[in-house]
Amino acid sequence: MTQEQQAFHSGFVAIVGRPNVGKSTFLNRVIGQKVAIMSNVAQTTRNKIQGIYTTNSEQIVFIDTPGIFKPSSKLDEFMVNSAISTLNEVDAVLFMVNAQETRGAGDNYIIDRLKDIHKPVYLVINKIDQIHPDKLLSVLEQYKDALSWKEVYPISALQGNNVDEFLGQLSKDLPEGPQYYPEDQITDHPERFVVAELVREKVLQLTRDEVPHSVAVEVESMKRESRPGKRADGQPNELVHIAATIIVDRTSQKGIIIGKGGKMLKEIGSRARADIEPLLGDRVYLELWVKVVQHWRDKPSALREYGYKS
Ligand code: GDP
Ligand code: K
Ligand code: MG
């Protein structure tokens, strides 16, 4: 019995939506590894993070956009422009909303931007695990005429409900195309970037509202080092030594991040290390520094230095 060769479908898909609707959670579920950082703090995702989903018959390259919202600083403007320019480069857009929230100004701002681009847009209603099934219809009602949606999918990115069904539909709709990346690649971001994002995630999670988004992390060096002796399992005693600097706007924020007797910084470091080790598949020694650079968000040179290239 001969089997006809199945066509391979592939493409680039941007994920947009208000902060905290679950974009990073979705990406991480699909890719199955921690590539986009998650926290309750808005706008923790600043750069384009690509998550690559590959099967025998499809490859979807996801781009988690930094967010589309009314800009109020140079950094905001940079982020919004970069998100919008991304939309013009992709094959499809996934617009995600939170089923628990009513449609608001933030959603409308994004919907208006989506009207200007001529790409298929999927409406994904996330966090359905948080609402009674009867309420779904009223959520749908709020959005159904806002745009001419390609498809509408209620999902739970956290629990996985309907995610596979959505992926199946999405890849079916994508054009026939090549496999852009090797199948074992999950992101095209250098490890340094992911490491910096993981440290920043811990800072935001642990300091909550005390340290706003005026925090950047720069990985200064990542070196493999040999220590004397052997490990208990007979393997060479090697580890990856990472030195990173946390950059803040104000001296008061530096104090908060270091904490009493260095306690906070130590906690940030140990939590970040716990996430970095499985990512690198290596033991890690993480050395953290804190530096104050006043108004770095409004200095183009500082923006470039911390990785926000234009
Ligand atoms: P982003 O800002 O859009 O990237 O949102 P995140 O992925 O960082 O998620 C924000 C918060 O919502 C986190 O606390 C997630 O755990 C939570 N979250 C994301 N998806 C779901 C979901 O499907 N159900 C529930 N209950 N929580 C979710
Ligand atoms: K977030
Ligand atoms: Mg995010």
Side-chain angles (χ1 to χ4, degrees):
M1 200 169 83
T2 54
Q3 216 175 352
E4 234 178 87
Q5 190 152 357
Q6 237 195 334
F8 196 86
H9 290 249
S10 62
F12 291 76
V13 176
I15 309 177
V16 298
R18 271 159 69 171
N20 291 325
V21 294
K23 300 179 294 294
S24 301
T25 307
F26 171 80
L27 195 53
N28 289 327
R29 163 162 293 279
V30 170
I31 310 308
Q33 208 165 338
K34 201 158 186 173
V35 288
I37 64 168
M38 278 175 290
S39 91
N40 285 317
V41 182
Q43 295 150 33
T44 50
T45 310
R46 274 191 189 145
N47 298 55
K48 295 175 193 174
I49 297 183
Q50 298 190 332
I52 305 163
Y53 172 78
T54 311
T55 70
N56 288 336
S57 56
E58 68 228 10
Q59 180 166 75
I60 312 174
V61 183
F62 286 105
I63 298 165
D64 183 11
T65 61
I68 301 173
F69 53 92
K70 256 208 175 93
S72 66
S73 76
K74 272 220 172 64
L75 176 60
D76 284 358
E77 223 172 274
F78 171 85
M79 287 162 66
V80 177
N81 288 340
S82 112
I84 290 171
S85 76
T86 300
L87 300 184
N88 287 305
E89 296 162 10
V90 296
D91 297 292
V93 178
L94 187 171
F95 173 53
M96 188 176 282
V97 298
N98 180 345
Q100 295 171 287
E101 291 172 348
T102 45
R103 181 175 158 188
D107 297 304
N108 293 336
Y109 187 83
I110 299 172
I111 289 167
D112 282 343
R113 301 281 88 70
L114 290 176
K115 282 177 182 157
D116 302 333
I117 62 142
H118 302 280
K119 308 280 169 150
V121 182
Y122 295 79
L123 173 65
V124 173
I125 303 169
N126 189 31
K127 307 199 189 185
I128 54 164
D129 57 289
Q130 290 293 306
I131 62 158
H132 192 276
D134 294 348
K135 263 209 66 192
L136 191 57
L137 214 61
S138 72
V139 180
L140 260 169
E141 204 54 42
Q142 297 178 51
Y143 290 97
K144 72 173 180 23
D145 299 323
L147 206 75
S148 144
W149 309 109
K150 176 83 177 162
E151 298 283 349
V152 179
Y153 273 84
I155 69 158
S156 167
L158 196 65
Q159 300 188 348
N161 320 25
N162 223 16
V163 171
D164 288 342
E165 288 80 355
F166 171 60
L167 287 176
Q169 179 70 46
L170 183 57
S171 48
K172 202 172 98 232
D173 294 345
L174 285 174
E176 283 186 28
Q179 185 181 312
Y180 294 99
Y181 298 92
E183 60 207 19
D184 57 357
Q185 190 163 346
I186 54 156
T187 170
D188 77 345
H189 273 275
E191 287 168 345
R192 270 178 191 237
F193 172 74
V194 180
V195 166
E197 286 290 84
L198 286 170
V199 174
R200 206 159 70 88
E201 176 186 59
K202 304 307 173 223
V203 173
L204 294 176
Q205 279 172 354
L206 286 165
T207 62
R208 297 261 146 205
D209 300 332
E210 298 167 283
V211 175
H213 307 112
S214 50
V215 57
V217 174
E218 192 179 31
V219 173
E220 318 276 354
S221 66
M222 266 172 88
K223 293 190 289 255
R224 180 173 298 280
E225 286 176 359
S226 288
R227 298 277 155 115
K230 291 215 186 270
R231 281 195 232 161
D233 59 5
Q235 295 296 309
N237 196 8
E238 283 185 346
L239 49 74
V240 180
H241 182 161
I242 301 173
T245 306
I246 300 167
I247 297 130
V248 290
D249 247 355
R250 279 184 241 117
T251 314
S252 60
Q253 293 163 355
K254 180 174 174 175
I256 291 163
I257 288 178
I258 292 173
K260 267 210 185 85
K263 214 172 152 202
M264 177 63 92
L265 192 61
K266 210 171 154 200
E267 183 65 19
I268 291 166
S270 69
R271 289 198 191 189
R273 193 165 60 86
D275 276 356
I276 296 166
E277 285 188 333
L279 189 79
L280 300 183
D282 265 307
R283 287 193 306 153
V284 165
Y285 172 65
L286 181 60
E287 186 186 346
L288 290 179
W289 301 87
V290 187
K291 186 163 96 181
V292 180
V293 179
Q294 270 168 8
H295 311 300
W296 71 263
R297 279 173 301 171
D298 278 322
K299 288 180 184 153
S301 63
L303 286 178
R304 266 194 306 280
E305 196 178 326
Y306 304 138
Y308 308 108
K309 295 185 203 75
S310 40

